[in-house]
Amino acid sequence: MNKYHQEILLEIKEVSETNSKNTGWEHAGKYMGTTKTIHNITNPQTHAIAKNWARQHKNLTVSELSEILNAFFAGQSHNERSFGGKLLGYYPKLQCQLKPVLLDKWLNGAEGWGEVDSICQNVFQAKEMLEDWKDWEKWLRTWSKDKNVHKRRASLVLLTGPVVYSNDQRLFDLAFENIDQLMGEKDILITKAVSWLLRSIVRRHPELVKDYLAKNENSLPKIAVRETRNKLKSGRKSGK
């Protein structure tokens, strides 16, 4: 175990013990789809630990950060995996130097949408993807066909932010390609991610999405069709 990993995990456990009288967190694992241990610590408390630690360790090298993250993403608890994504967000200059092959390694052992999304939702930005597009394109396409459902979900979730913040056609082409690849799956990890990505594309290309729904209505998950049409009509997922 990396020494920094040990140090941070101890702090997480100490906060969890302080929060031990808080109720409701016992059911969090079922909600997020993980069977791993979950320490009773809130997202704001976790972010505070990550932010404070990053402030005290400003001069990490890419190698050091990678080593720390390798330890967290191999952790035994849900909190360790989700903490890795939060910590990464505080090192943007180092993050852009990390290759997607590392993400492939970190996704091994992920369990449930919470552990996937903690590292895939708005962590890697459009700019850094496009600067190394050949590599990102290869991995995003590979993950969409992986036997691991969590990597297949990642191939969709990773694009939900970039298609909102960039108008680069390469992002949209690959987004629709990955949706084509996965639209027939029934696992909720995939059906909800398909819906999420389609709704994200609505921001810049509503007409494209409208046409796509019309052509693929019978093949797409029903929840994706319903939520995306509501988004097109009202700007909201629920349509209210």
Side-chain angles (χ1 to χ4, degrees):
M1 184 184 285
N2 178 278
K3 66 176 182 178
Y4 292 137
H5 177 205
Q6 287 181 309
E7 175 184 307
I8 296 169
L9 182 57
L10 178 61
E11 188 170 358
I12 288 172
K13 289 180 177 179
E14 287 174 348
V15 174
S16 176
E17 289 175 6
T18 302
N19 293 343
S20 61
K21 293 182 180 180
N22 295 347
T23 59
W25 64 275
E26 299 93 338
H27 307 294
K30 184 177 180 180
Y31 170 65
M32 290 184 288
T34 184
T35 59
K36 294 186 179 71
T37 297
I38 297 183
H39 301 295
N40 181 19
I41 180 171
T42 66
N43 267 328
Q45 288 173 326
T46 305
H47 273 291
I49 291 173
K51 184 177 182 179
N52 184 58
W53 193 89
R55 186 185 297 121
Q56 295 176 26
H57 300 81
K58 295 179 181 179
N59 299 317
L60 289 184
T61 64
V62 173
S63 172
E64 288 171 329
L65 180 61
S66 297
E67 184 180 340
I68 296 165
L69 293 173
N70 285 340
F72 272 102
F73 288 117
Q76 299 302 304
S77 70
H78 167 80
N79 306 77
E80 289 165 88
R81 285 186 167 269
S82 62
F83 187 88
K86 292 178 177 64
L87 184 63
L88 184 55
Y90 290 102
Y91 289 94
K93 291 182 180 179
L94 298 183
Q95 177 187 308
C96 65
Q97 300 177 52
L98 298 175
K99 297 294 184 180
V101 66
L102 272 176
L103 182 54
D104 182 67
K105 176 181 178 180
W106 296 337
L107 286 167
N108 289 327
E111 188 181 13
W113 65 265
E115 292 177 16
V116 175
D117 297 359
S118 67
I119 187 60
C120 295
Q121 180 186 0
N122 284 327
V123 176
F124 295 93
Q125 305 300 315
K127 184 176 182 292
E128 59 202 80
M129 281 189 181
L130 293 170
E131 286 177 350
D132 193 14
W133 179 244
K134 186 175 181 180
D135 201 23
W136 274 103
E137 180 184 32
K138 179 193 76 173
W139 280 105
L140 286 163
R141 188 174 284 126
T142 297
W143 291 325
S144 75
K145 302 171 185 176
D146 199 284
K147 64 181 180 179
N148 182 339
V149 68
H150 298 92
K151 290 186 179 182
R152 298 199 301 277
R153 178 179 174 89
S155 75
L156 300 169
V157 175
L158 280 159
L159 289 165
T160 56
V163 297
V164 169
Y165 299 109
S166 171
N167 208 30
D168 193 290
Q169 190 62 41
R170 292 171 293 178
L171 294 168
F172 295 96
D173 287 345
L174 187 56
F176 281 119
E177 180 183 325
N178 283 1
I179 293 171
D180 284 344
Q181 174 70 28
L182 297 168
M183 68 167 70
E185 295 202 23
K186 304 301 182 185
D187 195 305
I188 194 171
L189 285 171
I190 302 301
T191 59
K192 291 293 287 184
V194 167
S195 175
W196 186 3
L197 184 50
L198 283 170
R199 286 181 281 115
S200 298
I201 298 171
V202 167
R203 171 75 175 270
R204 288 181 178 270
H205 294 291
E207 292 304 318
L208 277 180
V209 175
K210 191 180 296 184
D211 290 344
Y212 188 80
L213 290 182
K215 293 175 183 176
N216 297 282
E217 180 176 0
N218 295 327
S219 301
L220 284 162
K222 291 181 179 179
I223 191 172
V225 174
R226 182 175 67 253
E227 290 182 346
T228 306
R229 282 191 171 146
N230 285 336
K231 178 76 174 181
L232 285 163
K233 290 177 183 177
S234 68
R236 298 182 180 181
K237 178 172 67 173
S238 66
K240 297 179 180 179

